Amino acid sequence: MHEIITLQLGQRSNYVATHFWNTQESYFTYSDQEASLVDHDIHFRPGIGANGTETFTPRTLIYDLKGGFGSLRKINALYEVQEEQELPKGLWDGNVVVQKQSSIEQNEYLKSLEEGLPAPSLSTEMVRYWSDFNRVYYSPKSIVQLNDFDLNSRLMPFERWDVGEDLFGDLDREHDLLDRDLRPFAEECDQIQGLQVMTAVDDAWGGFAARYIDRIRDDFGKTSIWVWALEDGKNGQREKQLRRAVNVARSIQDVSTQASLYIPVLVPPQKCPSYVDLDQTSQWHTSAMVSVALESMTLPSRLRPLNGERCTLGQMEAALNTNGHQNIARLQYSVIDPETSQTRHESFGRVATRDYRVPATRQDTANTTEGLERDGMGLPIAGISAFDMDLLPEDHESSGSKVRKTHVFGQAESFRGVPEPSGPEKLEEDEGFTRKRRRISGLPMVEKYRTPLLFPLLDSFPRIFNGWSIQPESVAVHTSLSTTALVSNRVKKLRDIVNRTVGLDEREALSNGLGEICEAYEEGWESGSDSDDEDD
């Protein structure tokens, strides 16, 4: 069935994953006349509930610190509530006083869902934890609380990379986490397609993830492992920023070399178009932006055959990692009004190909064709598109700095709800024509996947897209993953920080490892005019 198992490591990842699972739950249909475009068996697993009925819960492992689950209970309505048993009596025959930490109350939104009543609109004040907007029931074995650290503790902050590394080592020696947590899910799969890991990489979760993925790679060999490496985009004190940068450097060196695909994601992105109304202090808001791109880019991997261009995670990797050494990808996307996408699509013509994004200000549309690769006539070459939002953690377009030409090694694009090209544009979309043209021009091939399924804007999703006079129930999305030379720029900056701040005992190994990664994104193109800075 080509199943995918998900690992969620930490608060930031669980916010993103909650949006992801809410979206997956919305694809379910409950009528014999309706058929979902999505194959639910890929991400969901069957089970037996408390009353003997069949259940369908996510194939996921959710790790968080003590106090990080909010009002979410390990035993929920689908499973039997375990009766409290009396404490065993020992030598002490006196009275026993049991002290319990008070549970966190559900908000009105969750109470309404459980009672089957119309749910009130969510607000940033109502969402204190990722579980406050969760619409999905999880299996009890999906919930894994790490009691060694408290969420947001000032006495024992979970920030240093080696703290997470040590925590995994201690837990794995005591419990064998793969056997206890992951293997039961893997043994349920008929033909596992891969694993997707959502994790922060700029704090202790980076070290935890590195050692976890080491173990997974040892046991699962050539299975696809996609890592969504989430980085905090908010500014902080210089000392904290440097510590985060070093944590990211360690994560890139350790995790990217074990992962099939490593996607660095800035939460939130540094620049947003005018149609995005974002509260950057709310993880509910910022994680929603990431979830749109993540869910849309991976959608082809869970489509039913004949309901779109289905492909596996491994097939997408092949389009991106063209020479076997480039597995760090850049994530970009644009949101499109489904009511106007066809009109805008037909009006742009050949030059601004596929630029049918939400109407925006002049500042937003100024870069519509900026950065597009061009042919000998100076026209943008089909297949390399412009996007509104770039989630790569790199300020490569800051004002006052020189912009380098961006070489793309490989690219995969996902179109959901975006109309097929027609007329003159169809000629450029012809597969044979495109391949021949790009081969002659020495440009990378671009794999494209299409599905009519729109991205649903659920009541659990914040109203962050405001580019329409009437708020739609769903939107079209154009998403891209690409391996580009910008990765080299990013890793070089991290290596410079490492050389200045890391102790001598580990500096050389870490710096050399980052240097090897840089070389993989330079060879074969960074010479001649392509490596020169553009004229101001």
Side-chain angles (χ1 to χ4, degrees):
M1 290 189 291
H2 298 289
E3 298 92 345
I4 297 174
I5 300 174
T6 302
L7 273 69
Q8 308 167 204
L9 307 181
Q11 277 282 294
R12 199 180 308 157
S13 305
N14 289 330
Y15 267 92
V16 174
T18 301
H19 284 296
F20 176 85
W21 292 118
N22 287 348
T23 304
Q24 304 316 304
E25 188 268 344
S26 72
Y27 296 146
F28 279 91
T29 55
Y30 302 95
S31 171
D32 294 337
Q33 287 72 37
E34 297 178 349
S36 174
L37 299 181
V38 173
D39 184 351
H40 303 300
D41 289 325
I42 290 178
H43 277 289
F44 285 78
R45 52 179 292 276
I48 303 297
N51 58 358
T53 59
E54 294 185 357
T55 62
F56 225 35
T57 54
R59 300 182 190 274
T60 189
L61 283 167
I62 307 172
Y63 292 84
D64 214 328
L65 304 180
K66 185 179 179 180
F69 288 88
S71 61
L72 185 69
R73 295 180 300 160
K74 188 178 181 73
I75 306 296
N76 55 54
L78 294 181
Y79 297 87
E80 294 183 4
V81 178
Q82 298 176 345
E83 296 183 359
E84 295 184 2
Q85 300 179 352
E86 293 185 2
L87 293 174
K89 293 184 177 180
L91 298 176
W92 174 254
D93 293 330
N95 294 329
V96 177
V97 178
V98 179
Q99 294 184 343
K100 290 185 177 181
Q101 185 177 7
S102 58
S103 59
I104 297 174
E105 289 287 330
Q106 289 185 332
N107 60 22
E108 293 302 318
Y109 176 82
L110 295 179
K111 290 179 181 178
S112 298
L113 290 181
E114 289 202 351
E115 296 171 2
L117 301 175
S121 298
L122 280 169
S123 64
T124 54
E125 292 76 18
M126 293 174 65
V127 179
R128 301 161 300 164
Y129 303 91
W130 54 266
S131 57
D132 286 338
F133 61 97
N134 171 61
R135 298 176 56 91
V136 181
Y137 285 122
Y138 300 98
S139 166
K141 63 183 181 181
S142 287
I143 309 298
V144 185
Q145 179 171 279
L146 306 183
N147 295 313
D148 301 69
F149 289 85
D150 290 319
L151 181 68
N152 300 325
S153 172
R154 293 185 178 181
L155 294 177
M156 295 177 61
F158 201 60
E159 295 179 349
R160 291 173 48 199
W161 200 88
D162 54 347
V163 169
E165 184 181 31
D166 293 341
L167 176 61
F168 178 84
D170 294 341
L171 293 174
D172 196 42
R173 280 190 295 272
E174 183 177 356
H175 302 291
D176 194 335
L177 293 186
L178 257 68
D179 278 349
R180 188 194 71 176
D181 299 340
L182 181 58
R183 203 172 303 283
F185 284 91
E187 290 176 348
E188 295 174 344
C189 300
D190 292 335
Q191 186 180 0
I192 186 170
Q193 178 184 161
L195 296 93
Q196 64 172 358
V197 182
M198 305 179 196
T199 180
V201 292
D202 55 0
D203 56 17
W205 285 110
F208 190 93
R211 299 290 75 82
Y212 206 149
I213 293 170
D214 278 347
R215 286 290 318 278
I216 293 173
R217 181 54 73 198
D218 289 341
D219 280 33
F220 288 84
K222 295 183 179 180
T223 301
S224 292
I225 302 175
W226 282 33
V227 177
W228 301 92
L230 308 178
E231 301 181 29
D232 191 352
K234 297 189 294 291
N235 293 324
Q237 297 178 349
R238 177 172 173 78
E239 181 181 354
K240 192 170 184 178
Q241 291 289 91
L242 290 175
R243 181 169 60 247
R244 286 178 180 172
V246 173
N247 289 340
V248 171
R250 288 172 170 161
S251 297
I252 288 179
Q253 185 202 30
D254 277 41
V255 179
S256 71
T257 53
Q258 295 293 335
S260 307
L261 198 66
Y262 181 96
I263 306 106
V265 179
L266 193 65
V267 187
Q270 291 175 327
K271 296 182 180 180
C272 296
S274 62
Y275 61 80
V276 173
D277 184 11
L278 191 69
D279 182 351
Q280 298 203 13
T281 64
S282 168
Q283 288 196 75
W284 178 47
H285 274 225
T286 57
S287 60
M289 287 199 67
V290 175
S291 73
V292 175
L294 185 156
E295 202 278 330
S296 298
M297 193 65 235
T298 58
L299 181 60
S301 67
R302 53 185 168 274
L303 291 175
R304 294 184 185 275
L306 305 180
N307 285 329
E309 298 183 40
R310 179 176 178 175
C311 72
T312 64
L313 297 180
Q315 288 170 332
M316 275 194 273
E317 293 162 19
L320 296 166
N321 193 357
T322 55
N323 64 12
H325 301 287
Q326 297 160 336
N327 67 329
I328 302 178
R330 175 190 190 186
L331 179 63
Q332 301 168 280
Y333 78 104
S334 296
V335 174
I336 307 157
D337 181 358
E339 296 297 325
T340 61
S341 62
Q342 180 65 48
T343 304
R344 292 177 63 82
H345 173 73
E346 293 173 350
S347 65
F348 273 101
R350 294 168 65 97
V351 175
T353 56
R354 290 192 304 283
D355 191 3
Y356 27 69
R357 299 167 290 179
V358 174
T361 64
R362 181 177 180 181
Q363 181 180 1
D364 297 328
T365 56
N367 294 331
T368 296
T369 58
E370 180 180 343
L372 298 185
E373 296 194 57
R374 301 174 181 273
D375 59 16
M377 299 177 61
L379 296 178
I381 295 181
I384 303 297
S385 308
F387 294 89
D388 287 340
M389 285 164 277
D390 187 351
L391 277 69
L392 181 70
E394 171 69 19
D395 191 14
H396 53 273
E397 293 181 352
S398 58
S399 58
S401 63
K402 293 187 176 181
V403 180
R404 302 185 65 185
K405 291 183 180 179
T406 303
H407 183 83
V408 177
F409 299 99
Q411 185 167 7
E413 296 185 31
S414 175
F415 301 82
R416 61 185 308 171
V418 178
E420 286 272 10
S422 59
E425 276 190 36
K426 185 65 177 178
L427 294 176
E428 291 198 69
E429 290 291 334
D430 179 77
E431 182 177 354
F433 178 82
T434 301
R435 287 181 180 276
K436 182 177 180 181
R437 183 180 183 185
R438 297 185 68 77
R439 188 179 297 112
I440 293 173
S441 302
L443 297 171
M445 297 306 303
V446 180
E447 295 293 335
K448 302 170 188 175
Y449 311 98
R450 296 182 182 272
T451 176
L453 187 63
L454 296 168
F455 182 86
L457 299 178
L458 308 174
D459 58 6
S460 61
F461 192 90
R463 293 294 179 248
I464 58 176
F465 300 130
N466 297 306
W468 309 273
S469 56
I470 300 177
Q471 186 72 28
E473 296 182 354
S474 55
V475 292
V477 183
H478 180 193
T479 321
S480 165
L481 278 175
S482 59
T483 47
T484 86
L486 290 175
V487 171
S488 178
N489 299 345
R490 162 74 166 161
V491 177
K492 284 179 179 177
K493 290 182 180 179
L494 291 173
R495 186 177 60 177
D496 290 342
I497 294 174
V498 166
N499 290 334
R500 297 197 312 267
T501 61
V502 174
L504 185 62
D505 54 340
E506 60 176 325
R507 180 193 308 162
E508 184 177 358
L510 182 54
S511 180
N512 291 342
L514 294 174
E516 293 176 2
I517 293 174
C518 286
E519 292 176 0
Y521 297 86
E522 295 175 348
E523 58 186 51
W525 78 271
E526 194 168 10
S527 60
S529 60
D530 270 5
S531 63
D532 296 330
D533 290 333
E534 293 184 329
D535 295 333
D536 293 333

